[in-house]
Amino acid sequence: MTDLILHEYAPSGNCYKIRLTAAHLGVPLGRRDYDILTGETRSETFLRDVNANGRIPVLQIGDRFLPESNAACVWLAHGSALIPEDRFDHADMLRWMFWEQYNHEPNVATLRFWRAMIGEANLTDAQRAQIPARTAAAEAALTLMEDHLARADWFAGGRFTLADIALYAYTHVASEGGFDLARWPAVSAWLARVAAQPGHVAITA
């Protein structure tokens, strides 16, 4: 396989899901870390050479660059057991991955970033004003997951797929954003199942 480099901020769940996908597949990744708190991904060099959108993660595949975490996971897992072959199950996996970026990550991940990395004392007034709405949206997302997982062990295709990896990344550290996961027992049990999968690595690895 072409040499792969992950341009990342290691504590990020979006970056972690790519590392976790690669770990499950036994695919080696080079890693290039950026400090997003000091604006390293907004530098002229990064915007020109890595991602004009100024964000990470970006998976570098030889001399090509693929932004967006879930796109990178799909590229890595192409043709593997992490992507269902059945047409409906494949689409269902993708809908959970789309949902993760639209409903889950903007709320669960943002509150974790604000509270655990920036610190509430350092938030702007505009950020503080968003906390109640983002908290309600995050709780709704976790409850939707709870309802699904009360009926099924996995999110798509009846087995462990990229949908589980994508949703695990920020859910398992949701407590850092102020959420008590004991409120969602089916989610907690699913987190344990994901962590027990062969090839699993921690976000700190």
Side-chain angles (χ1 to χ4, degrees):
M1 181 179 283
T2 303
D3 286 345
L4 304 174
I5 299 172
L6 178 61
H7 298 260
E8 66 167 347
Y9 172 65
S12 160
N14 282 329
C15 299
Y16 170 52
K17 69 177 71 160
I18 298 173
R19 300 197 308 271
L20 185 53
T21 299
H24 279 290
L25 296 168
V27 174
L29 288 180
R31 297 169 65 175
R32 165 72 165 88
D33 199 63
Y34 299 80
D35 186 350
I36 61 174
L37 299 177
T38 61
E40 283 191 353
T41 62
R42 304 296 170 137
S43 72
E44 181 179 345
T45 300
F46 184 92
L47 294 172
R48 182 190 66 231
D49 297 339
V50 181
N51 184 10
N53 196 34
R55 295 178 181 273
I56 45 176
V58 176
L59 181 62
Q60 183 178 348
I61 307 159
D63 60 358
R64 295 187 295 175
F65 294 81
L66 182 62
E68 301 300 332
S69 58
N70 288 343
C73 289
V74 169
W75 187 89
L76 284 168
H78 181 74
S80 79
L82 292 176
I83 298 178
E85 292 183 5
D86 178 83
R87 187 174 182 177
F88 180 88
D89 292 344
H90 186 156
D92 199 31
M93 177 200 76
L94 290 174
R95 72 101 171 185
W96 280 112
M97 295 174 76
F98 298 152
W99 178 83
E100 182 264 339
Q101 287 287 281
Y102 187 78
N103 289 91
H104 184 285
E105 191 266 1
N107 302 299
V108 175
T110 296
L111 289 169
R112 173 183 177 248
F113 183 69
W114 287 353
R115 287 176 165 145
M117 296 169 190
I118 296 179
E120 281 199 64
N122 300 315
L123 297 180
T124 65
D125 290 342
Q127 288 169 328
R128 286 194 192 91
Q130 294 178 48
I131 288 177
R134 287 188 184 268
T135 299
E139 290 175 344
L142 292 166
T143 298
L144 189 148
M145 293 173 65
E146 177 76 13
D147 291 346
H148 175 83
L149 292 166
R151 305 187 304 273
D153 286 346
W154 307 106
F155 278 98
R159 59 185 175 84
F160 180 69
T161 70
L162 286 183
D164 299 288
I165 290 175
L167 283 162
Y168 180 86
Y170 279 114
T171 303
H172 88 290
V173 289
S175 61
E176 296 177 14
F179 300 98
D180 179 5
L181 290 173
R183 293 176 52 191
W184 297 278
V187 170
S188 296
W190 164 78
L191 290 174
R193 286 193 294 276
V194 173
Q197 292 297 298
H200 182 82
V201 293
I203 194 170
T204 52

